Amino acid sequence: MKRHCELTRCMVVDDNSEWRGRAHGYLARHGFDIVQAETEDAAFAQCISAMPDVVLVGTRRAAAFIRQLRKHSPGSDAIVIMCPDADDIGSVGDAIWNGATDYLVKPYNRNIFDAKLRQTGIL
């Protein structure tokens, strides 16, 4: 698995601009190159042109997006973290089954976010 010193590009996919901005800020503190997408379609198009090392996806259709992403990039070792809202926790199993590396339930704070990055080997 890649470690932080090798990771450069992170994508944040969330239809909520507040959570997209929060994740962006947390990642920026660690010096990552960050791209954002508001929809799964926009994110998928960006991933096809240049697959990021890390993908954080916090949309309602995250499991379907992850399935599509893994199907079209079978050799990729990108770390994919699903970020569901607390009321959408039931979709985590689907996301893991479809290729998510892990999950991080919103709301989260900087300490929880950084702990997840450490746990998944990003930091």
Side-chain angles (χ1 to χ4, degrees):
M1 177 181 298
K2 293 180 180 180
R3 291 287 182 202
H4 170 57
C5 60
E6 298 170 32
L7 295 173
T8 56
R9 192 161 188 260
C10 299
M11 174 175 283
V12 179
V13 186
D14 204 310
D15 47 13
N16 182 307
S17 63
E18 178 186 345
W19 285 107
R20 223 176 28 253
R22 183 174 295 198
H24 184 282
Y26 294 162
L27 289 165
R29 289 180 43 254
H30 297 292
F32 293 110
D33 175 27
I34 306 149
V35 293
Q36 296 184 36
E38 185 174 346
T39 68
E40 295 92 349
D41 292 340
F44 185 72
Q46 289 184 51
C47 287
I48 292 304
S49 73
M51 186 66 168
D53 299 301
V54 177
V55 178
L56 299 169
V57 56
T59 61
R60 290 281 180 185
R61 295 183 8 222
F65 168 76
I66 293 165
R67 179 177 44 251
Q68 181 184 28
L69 186 65
R70 294 299 192 196
K71 179 181 176 184
H72 291 287
S73 56
S76 171
D77 60 351
I79 296 169
V80 180
I81 300 174
M82 180 192 187
C83 302
D85 292 317
D87 65 349
D88 190 30
I89 197 73
S91 62
V92 169
D94 245 1
I96 297 293
W97 180 257
N98 285 296
T101 308
D102 208 335
Y103 67 97
L104 175 61
V105 179
K106 295 184 270 185
Y108 52 75
N109 61 34
R110 186 176 67 201
N111 292 334
I112 294 169
F113 188 88
D114 285 355
K116 183 57 69 175
L117 296 184
R118 284 190 297 279
Q119 180 184 4
T120 54
I122 298 167
L123 291 181

